[in-house]
Amino acid sequence: VSGGGVAAFSDARPFQFGYADAAHDVKKKKVVVLGTGWAGTSFLKSLKDPSYDVHVISPRNYFAFTPLLPSVTNGTVEARSIVEPIRSIVRKKKFDVHFKEAECYKIDTVNKKVCCRSTQENNLGGSEEFTVDYDYLVVAMGARANTFNTPGVVEYAHFLKEVEDAQRIRRTVIDCFERASLPTVSEEEKKRILHFVVVGGGPTGVEFAAELHDFVNEDLAKLYPALKQHVKITLLEAADHILNMFDKRITEFAEEKFQRDGIDVKTGSMVVKVSDKEISTKERSSGKTVEIPFGMVVWSTGIGTRPVIMDFMKQIGQTSRRVLATDEWLRVEGCDSIYALGDCATINQRKVMEDIAAIFSKADTNNSGTLKVDDFKGVIKDIAERYPQVQIHLEKNQLRNFLQLLKSKDGDDELNIEKFKQALAEVDKQMKSLPPTAQVASQQGVYLADCFNRMDICEKYPEGPIRFRAAGRHRFRPFRYKHFGQFAPLGGEQAAAQLPGDWVSIGHSTQWLWYSVYASKLVSWRTRLLVISDWGRRFIFGRDSSR
Ligand code: FAD
Ligand code: MG
Ligand code: MG
Ligand code: MG
Ligand code: MG
C-alpha cells in the first residue's frame, strides 16, 4: 500500500485503486465524471493514462469560461466566445471519452452507479432516463445560486451563474429601455422600469454593477438620450462593506468609485422579499423595512449545495454538514472510490492539535518520550507537507525563529509532549477553507488527474521505482492550493487586483493586466481569438444594443 510517510500522520487512507486483484489487464477501469465546469474540464484535460474508460455526464455539452460571464450581460463579449464544446475539448485524447448530455439526479453508492435524466423532452413528453455504473466517480457538478430561502427570488430575480442567465439579463436590460421608451409610460413608471438592483456586494455583483453602469453610460445613453436621467443602479449588501474578501484599500477604492459613478451602494441592508415590481429590504441601522420599486433585479449572494448532493450526503452519513466533505486527497469522506472537487465540495482539513500525539511519536524516533530540536527539524518537512497551516506558519515566522521558540529559556532543548503542544498551539489558526473559485476548481482537477495518471506506478511500486523516488512521484501528496491572486473589475477601464504577499494594484494598468491574464486563461485558441476580437469590436464600435 502506497501513501508514504505523510499518511502516517493521520488516519488518511491511501488512494484505493483496484489493481490489487491483478485483473487489471482484462477490464479497463471505468471513470465517470459528473460536470463539465472548471473542475471536471480541468480533470479531463489533464487525464493522460489511456487505461481508463471515461464517461462524462453533464446537462450542458460545453465548458463555460465563467469569469467573462459579467461581460456577456451587456454584450462586451458574445456568449459564443466564452464557451467551448466538451466534445471538442476531449477529441484529441488518446483514450475514448463518452459524453452524455444529462443531469445526474441520484448517486447510488451501494450499487456503484449514477442515475441520470436527459434534459431534453422525448416524444412521449417525458425525458430519457438511464443509469451508468462506475469504478471511480468524480463529482464535479458545482453549486447552485443561494437564495437563503428569500421569498420571490426564484420567481422574480435573475441569477448570474450560467451562460443562459447572462443572455437573459442582456435581453431584459434592453427590454426595460424599450418599454420605458413607449409613449404611454408615465415618468414614475419610467423611473421604476429603469431601476436596476443588484443584490450582493461580492466580486460578481460588483463587477456586474460596474459593467451595467458602463453599458448605460457609454452606449445606451447615446441611443436613448431621453431616458438617461431616469436610470438608476443600486447595489444592496447585507454586510458593512462591499468586496469583503478583498484588502481594505480595494474596498475603499471601489466604494468611492461607485459613489462618483452614481451607483447607489446600500450596505447593511438585507433583502427579505422580492415581488414582481418591488424588493423589500430590512435596514440594519434603522430596523425598518423599505420597499424599493425596480425594473430588474440580479441576485448574486453566493452559492449553496445542489439537492442531488444533499441527498448523496444523507446516504453516506454526512448529515451534519452543509457542504460535501472530502479529505485532502479529494476523496469523499465515508465512501470508497468517489472523489469530489470544485464548488460542490470542501476539504475537511485536519488540525495539528488533533494529531499531536501521532506527530510527536513519529518525530521521537528512539521512543524516549522527549524530542531534541534536531529531531524535530528532521520531520518538519513532512509535517508541513501534510498540514498546510504549518507551512503558512513557517513562511510567516521563519524556521529559525520557530525552532528558537521551541527551546526553553533555561537553554534546555529537550521537548516533552506538553512543550511540543505549546510550540504548535498557534499553528491551527492559519487554517482557511478554500474559496469557491475557478482557480481552486481547476487546480483540483489537475491534481486529481495527476493522481489518476500515477495510480498504476504507485500501486506496483509502493517504494517507487528509483527515478520516481527522488521526485517523490511514487507517493500521493495531499492537494495543495497555490493562490495567484484575485481581480475585481470596477468599470471605466479600471480594475483592482490583490496578488499574493498583500500586493494590491488598482487602476487602468490593472485593467490591462486583467485583459491579458484572462485572455491567456481561455481554454482554446478559438475562444481566445473570439474574445479578443469582441474586445476590439467594442473599443471601435461600442456594444451591440439590439436584442
Ligand atoms: P461549475 O463550473 O459550476 O461546473 C459545474 C458543472 O456541473 C457544469 O458543467 C454543470 O452543467 C454540471 N452539472 C450541474 N448539475 C449537474 C448534475 N445534476 N449532473 C451532472 N452535471 C451537473 N472564479 C475565479 O476564480 N475567478 C473569477 O473571475 C470568477 N468569476 C466568476 C464570475 C461569475 C459570474 C461566476 C458565476 C463565477 C465566477 N467564478 C470565478 C467562480 C467559478 O466559476 C467557480 O468557482 C467554478 O465554476 C467552480 O467550478 P466547478 O467545476 O466546481 O463548477
Ligand atoms: Mg466541473
Ligand atoms: Mg464553469
Ligand atoms: Mg456551478
Ligand atoms: Mg470547493
Side-chain angles (χ1 to χ4, degrees), residues 216-273:
V216 168
N217 285 276
E218 291 166 15
D219 303 281
L220 297 179
K222 290 181 206 139
L223 303 172
Y224 305 84
L227 295 180
K228 187 173 188 252
Q229 47 165 335
H230 300 306
V231 181
K232 190 176 168 199
I233 301 172
T234 302
L235 178 62
L236 301 175
E237 164 61 53
D240 292 331
H241 290 284
I242 59 170
L243 296 178
N244 276 317
M245 62 295 291
F246 281 89
D247 190 278
K248 258 212 337 252
R249 286 166 283 178
I250 293 179
T251 299
E252 270 166 26
F253 181 88
E255 285 175 351
E256 277 165 26
K257 179 170 188 304
F258 276 14
Q259 200 177 7
R260 278 198 308 276
D261 288 347
I263 297 174
D264 191 5
V265 178
K266 284 206 169 79
T267 55
S269 61
M270 208 163 68
V271 175
V272 288
K273 193 181 148 204

Side-chain angles (χ1 to χ4, degrees), residues 151-203:
V153 175
V154 175
E155 294 88 339
Y156 303 111
H158 290 265
F159 295 121
L160 179 46
K161 194 84 182 57
E162 312 289 346
V163 177
E164 296 94 323
D165 297 333
Q167 289 172 311
R168 215 173 297 130
I169 289 173
R170 182 176 174 180
R171 279 198 304 272
T172 307
V173 172
I174 305 296
D175 282 350
C176 288
F177 273 82
E178 290 301 348
R179 192 142 39 96
S181 305
L182 295 175
T184 48
V185 176
S186 69
E187 290 279 296
E188 201 188 338
E189 184 68 355
K190 279 183 187 163
K191 275 207 178 104
R192 179 187 72 79
I193 295 173
L194 296 174
H195 187 201
F196 300 99
V197 178
V198 183
V199 185

Side-chain angles (χ1 to χ4, degrees), residues 70 94 156 182 200 206 227 244 251 320 339-340 413 427 448 462 480 492:
K94 281 208 210 84
Y156 303 111
L182 295 175
V206 166
L227 295 180
N244 276 317
T251 299
S320 59
Y339 306 82
D413 75 344
V427 164
L448 192 64
R480 187 64 66 83

Side-chain angles (χ1 to χ4, degrees), residues 34-40 57-60 62 66-67 69-70 102-105 140-143 160-162 204 306 308 341-344 436-439 441 518:
L34 302 177
T36 53
W38 277 97
I57 295 154
S58 175
R60 293 183 181 80
Y62 54 80
T66 49
L69 272 185
E103 62 172 4
C104 160
Y105 65 89
M141 45 176 130
L160 179 46
K161 194 84 182 57
E162 312 289 346
T204 303
R306 289 188 191 281
V308 43
L341 56 166
D343 284 1
C344 68
T437 62
Q439 228 181 117
Y518 281 113

